[in-house]
Amino acid sequence: MFLEIDSELAHTVNMVGITYLLPDIFSAITILCMGIYIVFEKDLYVARQRKPFFFLLSVCFVYSLVCIPMDIALNSENVFSPSVSLIIATVHAVFSQVIANMLMFYIVKDSRNSFARTKDLKPVVYAALILTCASVTFFVVNIRTGIAFSFPPEGGAVEFGPLYFFHFLLMSLSAVITFAVIFLERDSMLPQIRRMASYVPFIIAVLVVLQIIYPKSEALLILVSVLLFYCFTNLTTSSFLIDNLTGFGNLKYMSSFLSYYFSKGVRFSVITVKIQDYSRMHMDFDVKSVDALIKMIGDEFAGLELIQQVFRISENNFVLIGPAPSDQGCRILCTQIVDIFARTYVIDRTTFNLKGDIYLIPCPVVASSRSEVFDMLAFFSEKKVDLKNLSASYYSIRNDFFSFIVCDLRLKELLNRRNYIVKLIREACEKELFEVEFQPVFDTGGNFCNLAECLIRLYDKRYGHYVSPAEFIPVAESEGYIDRIGLFVLSRSCRMIRECIDNCLPVPTISVNFSARQFYSPDLVDDVINLIRSYGIPAEYIKIEITETNIIANFTKVRHVMEQMMACGLGFYLDDFGSGYANISRYISLPFECVKIDRSFIKAAMNDRKNDVFLRSVVSCFSSLGYKVIFEGIETVEGYEYVCNFEKAVIQGFFYSPPVSVGDFRKLLGLPDF
């Protein structure tokens, strides 16, 4: 039974009606916030979900607004007769509970549609239905008997009967059922919502005290609104953070969880699993079959006992959260993950073996923050690190089906080094701190052929030496700086040609390297042509070097760009011939005017008769087709003597000259000093 309240105080409260109005006011505000959220974030829901929920919220909001003047009337004397007041109050209490359950039912139903791996909430739904029926029955009986509350015939404040505590119990059960939804959905709840839910015990305590002091307030209905709002916020926030195919969290969801884990200061492992040959699977098999396989693999990961969380951050990339490496369970978990790749799968009645790259990042030992985890995941991209070389130096297992690498502090040092290189490149691009060198080309008699290659250089002031192009060029490509670097090298080449023209000297032909990524830029042709025209030089003095890798990466795109540039007078060299595996017939179909033989091909020909015969045949073929042939990387006497066996051979290499500074190249051309 509730505490007795002083009649004068109760009368004052009734006159003001604040406590009695609180549930309806708070419910109206809560529903309004939900509606506004849906309006401004309408893309979170498909129309099929959004429209009925918005309609339901609108009905609830209107009902809450209607209830406010009704509450005021019930708390005023002689507005309604006692019997009418009792009916209105009873209907109000019943409908408030019914509407709360309707909202919860919809949230639960929508949750089942949005999340692939929520708990079975049927018992909760059944309990809410039973509670609603009990409420209706109880309040119908109350109208006839007044066993819970009633209004005196002479008018005035509501009188509480001996079973009013049962009404209090029904409201409490509504809050418990809603809280049960939150508890059962805790695994899929966002960390931010978890932190919000941590305040629920405090809110419960405050509202229980308010309910005890002011029985007429029905303050626990406010608690139901609060808990429903938590459910709604978690659902709508998570609806665009969940992968539709697997039901796992996506990259944004993972980011949120990592922040939460790091804030707790616990030790854990981030295990990234990348399935290889995903593109080939889509070419060989039906899309639905591949999706079914990916979902099945995800279910396999989620079924592992020691997995704490699973995310799908890209089409073929999963991230698992597991125990710390120091935990024995981590070793068991890794063994189970490896076993998944040891199995044979069937797609469209065809047996299929998965191949994958697996990396384990100990947190916070190796990665101490969310950003460091993402840096390492980026570092594992095939375009940013040579996985074969990496696996040779780190704790790793590799076979035909998978490679497993455990990251340690040495890899973190590599990552820090890479980030440092990125910083150097960014600064060099912003302040034009790059330098260039020119490597001249000579004939076998040591005569300068008035031909050179312009090479980029990056000086590290901190350590007092140049960074190897083999180190910073791949980083520049992956980070998107290669376009600016390419235009910088082209600009310095055009400047050198311009000075030779101005000084009436023989104009050299200068070649510059273009990477594969540059050919994907839609502005490449315009940028190159506009730059050359800005110096007022003939375009035929500039040659673009393309490697075999560029051609293999996107033959059609490369060919289209080459044709556009050739129409403006530029020429092209095929660089590093013999280092790749492209089809020679493709080379012939492209408008090259020069082929540069890679040093590895020359070295192989010097040591093996078959390679020697093949190289001689290839050089003869290119010469017959009108291609100029340049032998690259000639550094020794043996290499020089071998190349001399080729008619009209020209040489680029340290045997005659390494790359020289701008000043030395100017002297070679006969230009005056700066």
Side-chain angles (χ1 to χ4, degrees), residues 215-369:
K216 195 178 178 181
S217 67
E218 297 186 346
L220 284 179
L221 286 178
I222 299 177
L223 178 60
V224 176
S225 298
V226 171
L227 296 178
L228 281 173
F229 186 73
Y230 279 140
C231 293
F232 170 80
T233 306
N234 182 66
L235 171 65
T236 52
T237 305
S238 299
S239 62
F240 64 97
L241 301 179
I242 299 298
D243 174 60
N244 292 329
L245 175 63
T246 62
F248 298 127
N250 60 17
L251 188 62
K252 293 182 179 180
Y253 204 172
M254 186 186 77
S255 176
S256 180
F257 264 93
L258 288 177
S259 297
Y260 181 73
Y261 289 150
F262 281 117
S263 68
K264 293 297 183 181
V266 297
R267 292 175 177 264
F268 61 97
S269 297
V270 174
I271 306 171
T272 174
V273 182
K274 185 173 185 179
I275 299 174
Q276 297 179 4
D277 300 330
Y278 184 76
S279 299
R280 184 174 62 84
M281 289 164 59
H282 272 283
M283 290 188 293
D284 295 343
F285 304 105
D286 181 69
V287 174
K288 291 183 178 180
S289 300
V290 176
D291 287 346
L293 175 65
I294 293 297
K295 189 176 186 305
M296 182 176 64
I297 297 301
D299 291 337
E300 296 259 11
F301 292 145
L304 301 178
E305 294 182 1
L306 298 172
I307 285 293
Q308 300 173 17
Q309 197 71 33
V310 181
F311 305 95
R312 187 187 183 210
I313 62 174
S314 66
E315 291 181 327
N316 61 330
N317 202 346
F318 291 90
V319 172
L320 320 177
I321 305 296
S326 57
D327 191 329
Q328 180 64 25
C330 184
R331 180 173 297 182
I332 297 174
L333 176 61
C334 293
T335 302
Q336 293 173 339
I337 294 173
V338 167
D339 288 342
I340 292 176
F341 284 91
R343 302 172 193 168
T344 299
Y345 297 89
V346 178
I347 306 180
D348 295 341
R349 299 181 181 180
T350 303
T351 57
F352 188 84
N353 290 107
L354 287 176
K355 295 182 180 180
D357 294 320
I358 308 169
Y359 311 95
L360 187 148
I361 307 172
C363 301
V365 177
V366 175
S368 58
S369 67

Side-chain angles (χ1 to χ4, degrees), residues 559 562-563 566 571-573 587-593 627:
R559 182 171 187 169
M562 289 178 68
E563 290 173 350
M566 283 194 65
F572 289 88
Y573 288 1
Y587 300 153
I588 297 174
S589 67
L590 294 174
F592 289 111
E593 59 185 68
Y627 292 88

Side-chain angles (χ1 to χ4, degrees), residues 72-93:
I72 296 175
L74 289 174
N75 280 272
S76 303
E77 296 183 2
N78 302 321
V79 175
F80 300 113
S81 65
S83 58
V84 172
S85 296
L86 180 60
I87 293 174
I88 292 175
T90 302
V91 171
H92 180 196

